[in-house]
Amino acid sequence: MSTENRWLLPEGIDELLPERAAQLEALRRRLLDQCATWGYRYVIPPLVEFTDSLLIGLGADLDVVTCKFTDQMSGRMLGVRADITPQTARMDAHSLAEEGVTRLCYAGSTLQSTPQSVISGRAPIQLGAELFGSSAIEADSEIIGLMLSTFQCAGVSRPLTLDIGHIGIYDALFSDAGLDPELEDQIFDALQRKSAPDIERLSASLPAREAERLAQLVALHGSHDVLASARAAFPDELAVMAALDQLDTVLAGVQQAFPDVGVYVDLTELRGFRYHTGLVFAVYLEGRGSAVAKGGRYDNVGAVFGRDRPATGFAIDLKALVDDAERSEAADVPVIAPQSDDAGLRAAVTALRAAGRTVVMDVAPGVDLPDAERLVLSEGEWVIEGSASS
């Protein structure tokens, strides 16, 4: 690499300079505090784990986007987390092993071998919350309510749309239909990518009953009325009816608590990693092509760690959200202090910093910070210039 381009970063990897980094950190703190008020305890999962635990039982899609390397100490394969949700499932099942409901929240960097959206790049900063130990629909409603409340807490001004679906509908119609596993995977992938040409091509390979079901399912997206259309399309499918009942319950709560949030029902909504088992959802901001938050139910993940616990949760990409969040203003005007060994000056600087003020030592005399005040010696006391307080 020549000296002219040593500053280049890998494609999809970015850096946050001081102003944007400060805004993101302030947003992170606000949203974690919001999660805490709902009873979610903060955890910090490790950046890397053995792939044996990081990826086991989670499907090929997460494996593909995980960056891996050999641990020089053990010789085993390590993976840099591409998604924090499975790590919290391990913590709930093994490290905590609590009875009853466990609520956890987190925030941290992730790394992906290829970007999953234009907004996120390859290194999203993921903030999320997970609820373990309850299969009740009230748990899903709580998670969606918390997720939407974080957008209110962030002061997002763009209109929001909640895109919601249910993996159980797809599973009831296709996963138990006795299809060839490879063909079934291709159908899932085509629906996940919303690829109309691939869906049409695959329909030709299906038995007549499954081809008709696929055509009906693909058409089921739009307003809340989609649920009634689905009931009419699959009246004899008890699992589909149960999934539609759950969607009705959740949407009724959303529309009551968050009347300004738009709702888009998509019964082919299969976005995210393939460990989801029930309700799946995403939040879109008007004018943005990619989701800034995703979540859903994933009841099977804990089983590989010895505790098969029901679970539901969501994750937000803070980098995708920070530019649309309300800006946090600087807490104070910085104070410039001169370089001196004077004990009184050191005491004054210490007192100001203890009070939360920003004090910058003047290592380049004559160069002022914009909008800064100065600490000066007046009548034997160090005071902020123009202020009566020391």
Side-chain angles (χ1 to χ4, degrees):
M1 180 181 290
S2 68
T3 56
E4 288 77 13
N5 58 9
R6 289 185 185 277
W7 54 269
L8 289 176
L9 294 171
E11 185 175 354
I13 303 296
D14 62 351
E15 59 191 1
L16 276 68
L17 299 180
E19 183 176 353
R20 193 159 183 255
Q23 292 299 320
L24 189 142
E25 175 61 13
L27 177 63
R28 184 190 72 88
R29 293 177 183 178
R30 291 207 308 272
L31 299 194
L32 286 175
D33 287 346
Q34 176 72 355
C35 291
T37 65
W38 285 55
Y40 288 74
R41 295 176 292 165
Y42 183 53
V43 293
I44 305 177
L47 181 63
V48 298
E49 292 193 38
F50 292 120
T51 54
D52 292 348
S53 62
L54 189 65
L55 301 175
I56 185 171
L58 297 176
D61 53 353
L62 186 56
D63 186 22
V64 167
V65 298
T66 298
C67 296
K68 310 176 189 74
F69 62 97
T70 302
D71 180 14
Q72 296 299 311
M73 296 185 68
S74 68
R76 296 171 62 186
M77 189 64 68
L78 292 174
V80 181
R81 64 190 182 196
D83 180 24
I84 300 178
T85 298
Q87 295 184 292
T88 60
R90 175 187 55 75
M91 296 172 81
D92 168 71
H94 177 71
S95 303
L96 291 171
E98 298 172 337
E99 297 299 326
V101 173
T102 297
R103 294 174 172 88
L104 303 176
C105 64
Y106 57 84
S109 296
T110 60
L111 179 65
Q112 299 169 355
S113 59
T114 56
Q116 300 303 290
S117 74
V118 176
I119 299 176
S120 301
R122 292 171 54 195
I125 296 178
Q126 185 176 319
L127 180 145
E130 316 293 335
L131 189 155
F132 301 95
S134 174
S135 58
I137 191 61
E138 288 79 10
D140 300 89
S141 294
E142 176 177 310
I143 278 291
I144 292 174
L146 173 57
M147 177 182 67
L148 294 175
S149 80
T150 61
F151 284 87
Q152 290 181 334
C153 180
V156 174
S157 57
R158 289 178 187 251
L160 305 180
T161 296
L162 174 68
D163 185 320
I164 191 166
H166 200 298
I167 294 287
I169 295 173
Y170 168 85
D171 285 341
L173 297 178
F174 297 102
S175 292
D176 299 328
L179 299 176
D180 178 79
E182 183 177 348
L183 176 59
E184 195 269 322
D185 283 343
Q186 290 177 4
I187 294 171
F188 186 96
D189 181 62
L191 288 172
Q192 192 177 44
R193 293 184 290 107
K194 310 294 186 188
S195 174
D198 286 338
I199 292 170
E200 183 177 355
R201 174 181 55 82
L202 291 166
S203 294
S205 305
L206 293 173
R209 177 170 172 266
E210 279 67 37
E212 181 182 0
R213 285 181 163 189
L214 182 57
Q216 290 172 309
L217 183 62
V218 167
L220 292 173
H221 56 86
S223 69
H224 192 285
D225 296 339
V226 163
L227 301 183
S229 299
R231 292 183 189 280
F234 309 111
D236 299 325
E237 293 288 343
L238 296 182
V240 172
M241 295 300 109
L244 295 172
D245 287 344
Q246 290 187 343
L247 284 165
D248 262 328
T249 298
V250 168
L251 289 177
V254 168
Q255 290 168 343
Q256 182 176 11
F258 303 93
D260 295 332
V261 172
V263 171
Y264 187 82
V265 178
D266 185 353
L267 300 190
T268 62
E269 174 57 68
L270 305 176
R271 291 185 178 89
F273 297 115
R274 201 174 175 179
Y275 53 68
H276 288 116
T277 59
L279 281 168
V280 287
F281 44 84
V283 172
Y284 290 83
L285 302 183
E286 187 177 90
R288 295 290 193 94
S290 301
V292 294
K294 296 179 182 179
R297 179 162 286 279
Y298 53 102
D299 288 344
N300 300 329
V301 174
V304 298
F305 304 111
R307 295 185 80 216
D308 193 357
R309 298 253 286 169
T312 181
F314 72 89
I316 298 173
D317 179 6
L318 291 181
K319 287 183 182 177
L321 181 62
V322 65
D323 291 333
D324 291 299
E326 184 178 18
R327 293 181 60 81
S328 297
E329 299 301 328
D332 67 342
V333 175
V335 177
I336 301 175
Q339 292 288 339
S340 172
D341 293 331
D342 183 83
L345 175 61
R346 289 198 300 272
V349 168
T350 299
L352 285 169
R353 287 174 174 164
R357 293 299 303 269
T358 299
V359 182
V360 179
M361 302 310 295
D362 193 359
V363 296
V367 180
D368 280 340
L369 290 173
D371 302 319
E373 298 175 325
R374 281 193 169 273
L375 199 58
V376 299
L377 187 63
S378 176
E379 298 180 357
E381 291 189 28
W382 289 95
V383 298
I384 299 175
E385 195 168 38
S387 170
S389 61
S390 58

